[in-house]
């Protein structure tokens, strides 16, 4: 039987809890958890469970377990016993009180343990003790503070003797919520929507079912992801998962938050889970190349990579799809027959993306000036590409035909910032912002107000993602097809429809655009 998605409902009123239960059933939910500790008055179990549209778990979490029940422990246990007497399909019982809650009727016992601070060193011992507590299912959930915590949890679930729901909380544990079913968990947990997260790191029901295709993931599914810090803003999981579904490719693409200091150990841990490829974003574009140095001479010259994949021999290799994507995005907005030869370019930033774009400008014979907050890094990049470095404070004094922002200034959530004040912009400049979330950054808005030609990060994102997809899957997609899909995905009007049916982007699930390469 395929693993299910259990959707948690936490509302203060019985009426709203029942209404959401009905709405979830209509959306296809097959298992729902009623967090009765959220209710503002004593739960009416008969009302909550009568005519329930799906199998139901009743949970009443105490404050010490990050729940909201503020009555006495005796009152809480009475609520759990009442749920059992009322015929709940499942009741969640914490391990320390399991001996006090007797089995009765057909209600199945979920014996649970939560650790909101860590994944303890004695995880396996705690789990073994829980298996002795007359459990139909064991649920063990811990906080992931490092990638190895995720590996330990998934391996525990995979080797479980008793049906076990196990995953990690927090941003570093999000991948386990998506992968636990493939490792043997009977179900995972999701929230009704992103605005009502009941535990750290939860995805919404729609994300789990439509974007990640949780119920179709198996141990044979190809694992991919985006490495970044932060990474929650990334639209790569939405796009890549949609493209894989369109192409009929059995893969899942995950957001992987990894700090700069933990990259190497994290990649070593993920190796145990069988990952096959990564997109690398800030701050990992340079360090990922140090971890996996196999690449072509051009990528080595750039000194930064945005794609890590397994080659045909199964070895890790690095590529940089930013280079061509950025170059093509800029060229697409020049006048017919116009080139970059002799154009004066002001490049803001000196990180991985700036290195790739700087090399593209050098190859195109543009005259490039580099400005970043660290003059030493600016000078190093300028020397590498045959350009000139200036201080960050003097960036407004340069006369440039093209301004390219490769800094994170203006990226979500800092939407009211710009790396280049509006009064420094002049009519006729081409302004290219590599940020794509949001697409219309403050810099882009100011540039349009000043009569500049603008290129948004979305165009570069689409082009580099299309190239990445081919490296990850061996399949080639039409750039126009990917652009259409992405535009529909980020449209609030069509977003849910396209998640449910990505072929709606062009009216054809294949359209002859997917081919082996």
């Amino acid at each position: 039987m395929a693993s299910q998605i259990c959707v948690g409902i936490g509302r203060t009123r019985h009426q709203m809890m029942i209404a959401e239960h009905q709405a979830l059933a209509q959306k296809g939910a097959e298992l729902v958890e009623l967090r009765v500790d959220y209710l503002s008055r004593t739960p009416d179990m008969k009302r909550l469970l009568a005519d329930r549209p799906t199998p139901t778990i009743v949970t009443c979490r105490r404050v010490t377990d990050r729940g909201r029940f503020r009555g006495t422990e005796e009152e809480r246990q009475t609520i759990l016993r009442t749920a059992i007497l009322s015929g709940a399909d499942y009741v969640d019982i914490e391990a320390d009180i399991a001996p006090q809650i007797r089995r009765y009727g057909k209600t199945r016992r979920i014996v649970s343990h939560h650790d909101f601070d860590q994944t303890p060193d004695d995880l396996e011992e705690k789990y073994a003790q829980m298996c002795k507590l007359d459990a139909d299912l064991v649920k063990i959930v811990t906080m992931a503070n490092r990638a190895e915590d995720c590996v330990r949890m998934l391996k525990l679930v995979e080797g479980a003797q008793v049906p076990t729901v196990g995953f990690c909380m927090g941003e570093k544990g999000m991948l386990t919520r998506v992968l636990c079913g493939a490792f043997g968990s009977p179900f995972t947990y999701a929230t009704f929507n992103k605005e009502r997260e009941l535990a750290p790191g939860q995805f919404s029901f729609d994300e789990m079912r439509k974007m990640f295709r949780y119920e179709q993931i198996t141990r044979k599914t190809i694992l991919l992801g985006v490495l970044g810090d932060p990474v929650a803003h990334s639209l790569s999981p939405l796009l890549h998962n949609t493209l894989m579904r369109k192409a009929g490719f059995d893969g899942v693409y995950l957001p992987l938050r990894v700090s700069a200091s933990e990259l190497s150990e994290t990649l070593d841990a993920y190796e145990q889970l069988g990952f096959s490829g990564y997109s690398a974003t800030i701050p990992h574009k340079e360090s990922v190349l140090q971890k996996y140095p196999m690449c072509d001479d051009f990528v080595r010259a750039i000194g930064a990579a945005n794609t890590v994949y397994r080659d045909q021999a199964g070895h890790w290799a690095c590529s940089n799809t930013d280079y061509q994507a950025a170059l093509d995005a800029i060229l697409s907005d020049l006048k017919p027959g116009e080139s970059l030869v002799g154009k004066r370019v002001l490049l803001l930033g000196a990180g991985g993306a700036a290195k790739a774009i700087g090399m593209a400008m050098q190859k195109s014979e543009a005259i490039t000036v580099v400005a970043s907050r660290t003059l030493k890094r600016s000078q190093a990049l300028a020397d590498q590409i045959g350009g000139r470095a200036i201080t960050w404070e003097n960036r407004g004094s340069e006369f440039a035909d093209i301004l390219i922002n490769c800094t994170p200034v203006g990226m979500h959530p800092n939407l009211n910032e710009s790396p280049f004040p509006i009064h420094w912009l002049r009519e006729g400049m081409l302004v290219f912002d590599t940020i794509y979330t949001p697409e219309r950054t403050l810099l882009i808005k100011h540039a349009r107000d000043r009569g500049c030609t603008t290129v948004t990060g979305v165009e570069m994102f689409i082009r580099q993602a299309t190239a990445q997809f081919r490296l990850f899957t061996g399949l080639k997609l039409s750039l126009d097809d990917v652009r259409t899909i992405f535009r529909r995905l980020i449209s609030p009007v069509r977003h849910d429809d396209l998640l449910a049916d990505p072929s709606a982007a062009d009216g054809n699930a294949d359209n002859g655009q997917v081919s082996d390469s």
Side-chain angles (χ1 to χ4, degrees), residues 63 74 82 142 196 269 440 485:
V63 174
E74 183 178 353
T82 302
T142 62
R196 291 209 295 275
R440 291 195 65 185
I485 289 174

Side-chain angles (χ1 to χ4, degrees), residues 151 154-155 175-176 178-180 182-183 212-214 216-227 240-241 244 249-256 269-279 308-310 316 472-473:
V151 175
L154 292 175
K155 293 295 185 182
L175 78 160
T176 64
V178 179
L179 299 181
C180 63
F183 282 78
F212 296 119
R213 295 179 294 162
Y214 172 84
Q216 282 75 52
I217 299 172
T218 70
R219 292 293 272 127
K220 294 181 180 179
T221 299
I222 301 299
L223 304 185
L224 305 162
V226 53
L227 303 163
H240 278 283
N241 283 311
M244 286 189 286
F249 183 83
D250 183 16
V252 62
Y253 185 104
L254 300 159
L256 306 170
Y270 289 167
E271 189 92 22
Q272 300 177 61
L273 300 179
F275 271 82
S276 294
Y278 305 100
S279 304
V308 184
Y309 66 101
R310 291 191 184 274
W316 286 111
F472 289 151
T473 67

Side-chain angles (χ1 to χ4, degrees), residues 66-348:
R66 308 290 175 93
R68 296 193 177 186
F69 186 77
R70 296 188 179 277
T72 67
E73 179 59 15
E74 183 178 353
E75 290 170 336
R76 191 178 75 91
Q77 292 188 27
T78 296
I79 290 170
L80 294 173
R81 293 187 181 97
T82 302
I84 295 172
L85 291 171
S86 300
D89 301 279
Y90 300 86
V91 170
D92 187 308
I93 306 167
E94 294 85 3
D96 61 308
I97 67 162
Q100 283 77 56
I101 307 292
R102 295 178 60 186
R103 178 183 291 278
Y104 179 80
K106 296 182 179 179
T107 299
R108 303 184 73 190
R109 292 161 55 91
I110 301 174
V111 175
S112 67
H113 172 75
H114 297 75
D115 190 326
F116 286 84
D117 298 316
Q118 62 179 341
T119 298
D121 292 338
D122 62 347
L123 175 70
E124 292 76 14
E125 289 79 0
K126 287 183 182 295
Y127 171 73
Q129 293 169 6
M130 293 171 67
C131 290
K132 300 175 182 178
L133 297 174
D134 190 24
D136 292 298
L137 291 93
V138 170
K139 178 188 177 189
I140 186 161
V141 181
T142 62
M143 179 63 69
N145 294 317
R146 56 197 183 103
E148 186 61 34
D149 294 338
C150 299
V151 175
R152 287 181 62 206
M153 179 61 75
L154 292 175
K155 293 295 185 182
L156 182 147
V157 171
E158 187 174 41
Q161 300 302 309
V162 175
T164 299
V165 176
F167 52 83
C168 292
M169 295 180 285
E171 280 193 278
K172 293 180 180 178
M174 292 170 80
L175 78 160
T176 64
R177 292 181 178 274
V178 179
L179 299 181
C180 63
F183 282 78
S185 180
F187 48 86
T188 188
Y189 283 75
T191 187
F192 184 80
N193 59 42
K194 287 298 288 183
E195 285 67 44
R196 291 209 295 275
E197 183 180 272
L198 301 182
Q202 272 190 335
F203 292 106
S204 71
F205 176 59
D206 280 344
E207 287 174 321
M208 291 292 287
R209 190 168 184 235
K210 297 177 181 178
M211 181 166 71
F212 296 119
R213 295 179 294 162
Y214 172 84
E215 291 148 322
Q216 282 75 52
I217 299 172
T218 70
R219 292 293 272 127
K220 294 181 180 179
T221 299
I222 301 299
L223 304 185
L224 305 162
V226 53
L227 303 163
D229 187 17
V231 77
H233 69 283
S234 176
L235 295 178
S236 291
L238 180 60
L239 179 59
H240 278 283
N241 283 311
T242 303
L243 294 179
M244 286 189 286
R245 180 172 177 174
K246 174 181 171 60
F249 183 83
D250 183 16
V252 62
Y253 185 104
L254 300 159
L256 306 170
R257 183 170 186 178
V258 184
S259 66
S261 62
E262 296 175 322
L263 179 64
S264 182
E265 66 180 72
T266 295
L267 292 173
D268 288 341
Y270 289 167
E271 189 92 22
Q272 300 177 61
L273 300 179
F275 271 82
S276 294
Y278 305 100
S279 304
T281 187
I282 296 172
H284 303 307
K285 293 191 177 186
E286 295 166 275
S287 51
V288 77
L289 191 55
Q290 298 170 12
K291 178 68 174 178
Y292 299 124
M294 184 182 293
C295 62
D296 60 36
D297 291 340
F298 186 71
V299 174
R300 188 171 292 108
I302 295 174
N306 73 328
T307 311
V308 184
Y309 66 101
R310 291 191 184 274
D311 63 15
Q312 293 183 344
H315 301 134
W316 286 111
C318 285
S319 183
N320 193 310
T321 65
D322 283 338
Y323 166 85
Q324 196 63 47
L327 182 58
D328 290 345
I330 294 170
L331 292 174
S332 67
D333 268 85
L334 294 180
K335 296 176 182 177
E338 192 176 9
S339 75
L340 291 172
V341 176
K343 295 285 187 184
R344 290 161 294 189
V345 176
L346 176 58
L347 185 63
L348 303 181

